Amino acid sequence: MRDGDKNTAYFHRKASRRRKMNRIYGLLNNDGVWREDEEQICNIVAEYFSNLFSSDNPTEFDEATAGLSTVVRDAMNAVLEEEPTSVEIKKMPCSKCTLIKHWVRMRAFVPGRLITDNALIAFEIFHSIKRKGEGRNGTIALKLDMSKAYDRVEWCFLEKVMIKMGFCANWIRRVMDFISCVSFSFKVNGDIYGSVTPSRGLRQGDPISPYLFLLCADAFSTLISKVVYERKLSGANICQSGPRISHLFFVDDSILFAKATLQDCSKIAKIISTYERASGQKVNLGKTEVAFSKCVASDRRNGITNTLGVREVERHEKYLGLPTMIGRSKKAIFTCLKERIWKKLNGWKERLLSKRGKEVLIKSLVEK
């Protein structure tokens, strides 16, 4: 409001448009029958989320966490067990201050990689695959899509991961108490309905959830690294003297690189299956894609796609919102970004924004 945006028609129209778009007029039930009655719609919603948040009784914890090692030492656990002072509690914005405060203290001990590192490495490998591939076998790039990643995290798997990493019992108990004390209701067409008590899943939007999800993803990462270390799986490299890259993770974007052989791809399929059974995660095969370097024969491509159960694409269209293959004409590649921003700015609703509001909109679109 200070910069020019006031309680104008823009905000009222935006809210009305969102309410109209979000209204549910009907849903298909589990039998494929279309239902439009309000009560039946609410029952379908409740049943869907009840199934989503119900545990699948996971197994194979030892196999799925075989790559993990103790990384949290006694000194770190001592910091985690410290109780926050009354001054610290008053400075926290919500009642979850104790857990969040402890977690902020230990964030320095959690290894991570910058998004720019992953993006640059991925683009270089994609460019290398497009240009020449690698040897007689060639290379694959498998882009995984995890279905409902946060919602499907099994609590018992998370607990096993924290134990394997060396977290102390008190800290684990606090985390488990925190994530298991929730119940969900549903807002259907403006009305609150139902109640579901989950037995798995992490709350999206909660400050601690991304870090807990990263612990689970680290089990997947180290499981792949373990197989690579044992020379049972090969990654990809940009040049002969460069390091081999087996996988890159960013939130729910995961890309695996390997030799285009049935042996390597069978090993990948086994790793994914083991991780799925233990963690509750589920690969969305409909959105998962595999791309091959140009030297891979068609019969081998068919065998690999059948082994992995995914579809082949000539190239992955986007990674982290940007094209994966960039040719000589940078202008042609990035024209789509310019057109998307221009189209958004020329929408009828955006004409009601002030200059400062349009500046915020441009920055928001560019960041996406």
Side-chain angles (χ1 to χ4, degrees), residues 63-69 71 111 157 161 164-165 214-230 246-247 249 271 275:
E63 292 85 350
T65 59
L68 292 172
S69 58
V71 293
F157 176 71
V161 168
K164 192 74 180 287
M165 296 180 75
L214 283 177
L215 293 184
C216 296
D218 196 45
F220 187 31
S221 175
T222 55
L223 188 59
I224 298 173
S225 299
K226 178 178 180 292
V227 178
V228 172
Y229 179 78
E230 295 171 348
S246 58
H247 59 287
F249 288 173
I271 292 172
Y275 179 66

Side-chain angles (χ1 to χ4, degrees), residues 199-218:
S199 54
R200 70 174 177 184
L202 301 175
R203 283 169 280 186
Q204 297 191 44
D206 197 291
I208 200 175
S209 293
Y211 304 109
L212 299 179
F213 182 78
L214 283 177
L215 293 184
C216 296
D218 196 45

Side-chain angles (χ1 to χ4, degrees), residues 15-157:
S16 299
R17 177 65 175 169
R18 180 180 294 123
R19 183 167 58 249
K20 184 176 180 180
M21 290 181 62
N22 290 341
R23 181 167 184 82
I24 301 173
Y25 294 94
L27 290 173
L28 290 172
N29 63 15
N30 290 335
D31 298 325
V33 180
W34 182 257
R35 300 295 187 186
E36 296 184 355
D37 180 75
E38 194 77 15
E39 184 176 353
Q40 291 178 332
I41 290 175
C42 292
N43 290 335
I44 293 172
V45 171
E47 184 179 3
Y48 170 80
F49 284 106
S50 179
N51 293 333
L52 178 62
F53 293 126
S54 295
S55 175
D56 284 337
N57 300 316
T59 58
E60 299 188 21
F61 297 124
D62 292 339
E63 292 85 350
T65 59
L68 292 172
S69 58
T70 301
V71 293
V72 182
R73 307 300 177 185
D74 292 341
M76 302 177 190
N77 277 320
V79 174
L80 290 176
E81 289 192 291
E82 290 180 5
E83 293 293 337
T85 64
S86 58
V87 176
E88 290 174 328
I89 292 176
K90 290 179 180 179
K91 290 182 179 179
M92 298 302 291
C94 64
S95 60
K96 303 166 189 170
C97 55
T98 304
L99 274 175
I100 297 174
K101 179 64 180 178
H102 284 316
W103 188 260
V104 170
R105 283 175 173 169
M106 67 83 59
R107 281 179 63 181
F109 307 126
V110 179
R113 181 185 286 122
L114 294 175
I115 176 177
T116 49
D117 295 340
N118 273 6
L120 290 174
I121 294 171
F123 294 144
E124 287 294 335
I125 296 177
F126 289 140
H127 183 65
S128 176
I129 291 175
K130 175 187 175 184
R131 186 177 71 251
K132 60 181 179 61
E134 184 182 355
R136 293 181 302 172
N137 292 320
T139 308
I140 69 164
L142 178 65
K143 186 178 179 182
L144 298 178
D145 182 272
M146 293 295 183
S147 175
K148 305 293 183 184
Y150 274 44
D151 299 332
R152 299 182 65 91
V153 171
E154 294 283 358
W155 295 342
C156 49
F157 176 71

Side-chain angles (χ1 to χ4, degrees), residues 65 82 91 110 122 141 150 175 178 242 266 318 334 344:
T65 59
E82 290 180 5
K91 290 182 179 179
V110 179
Y150 274 44
V175 170
F178 173 67
S266 297
K318 291 184 179 180
F334 292 103
K344 189 69 175 178

Side-chain angles (χ1 to χ4, degrees), residues 138-201:
T139 308
I140 69 164
L142 178 65
K143 186 178 179 182
L144 298 178
D145 182 272
M146 293 295 183
S147 175
K148 305 293 183 184
Y150 274 44
D151 299 332
R152 299 182 65 91
V153 171
E154 294 283 358
W155 295 342
C156 49
F157 176 71
L158 174 61
E159 184 176 13
K160 296 289 185 182
V161 168
M162 289 191 289
I163 293 173
K164 192 74 180 287
M165 296 180 75
F167 285 94
C168 61
N170 286 338
W171 169 257
I172 295 175
R173 177 182 53 78
R174 284 175 174 172
V175 170
M176 300 310 297
D177 288 345
F178 173 67
I179 64 175
S180 61
C181 67
V182 64
S183 63
F184 295 116
S185 295
F186 315 104
K187 192 173 185 180
V188 181
N189 296 335
D191 296 325
I192 304 300
Y193 179 84
S195 179
V196 170
T197 301
S199 54
R200 70 174 177 184

